[in-house]
Amino acid sequence: QYNTCHLHNTMAQASNTIKKSLLVLGGNGYVGQNVLHAAIQSNLFSEVRSFNRSGAPKSPPPHLAESLSQVEFLTGDIFDNSAREDAIDGNYAVVSCIGAFGSNDFMKKICGDATIEAIETSKQKGVNKFGFVSSAQVYEGSTGLKIPPSMPMHGYFQ
């Protein structure tokens, strides 16, 4: 089970007495489902939504199912400008958990380009907070590493 204590503390620091809306991009994956669970459990948001290609998870883990049933799942493609703008518009905070495995080029597109598009749209739409959660962050010192193209998953960390 994913440890959500740090995420709860981070969300609590951003909180005030007025509850606000949260959008999680890629909330159908392992990381995204746990971020959604933590957001619901925190009770800091008036609305918790997820935007991803496949909608709600088909078989969420039992320990997350109740929390995920409280999430509004929006289906769409992050690279569809109109769909992305509609999903992001009006949210106080957006957290990107978008990720995928495949060729280096595919991982760079999905794990990098998609998040960059989401950041730019969030800025244009006046989103107050943007967060990024990725498995790359679990490797100590991974930020700024010079990873050779020959390394497996090079595109994911680029």
Side-chain angles (χ1 to χ4, degrees), residues 89-128:
D89 194 26
N91 288 287
Y92 175 78
V94 175
V95 176
S96 177
C97 301
I98 297 172
F101 296 103
S103 71
N104 286 333
D105 288 340
F106 179 73
M107 288 187 289
K108 183 178 176 186
K109 177 182 177 183
I110 301 302
C111 303
D113 296 345
T115 298
I116 291 167
E117 293 285 338
I119 290 168
E120 290 177 359
T121 300
S122 294
K123 184 177 177 181
Q124 292 168 0
K125 293 294 182 179
V127 171
N128 295 75

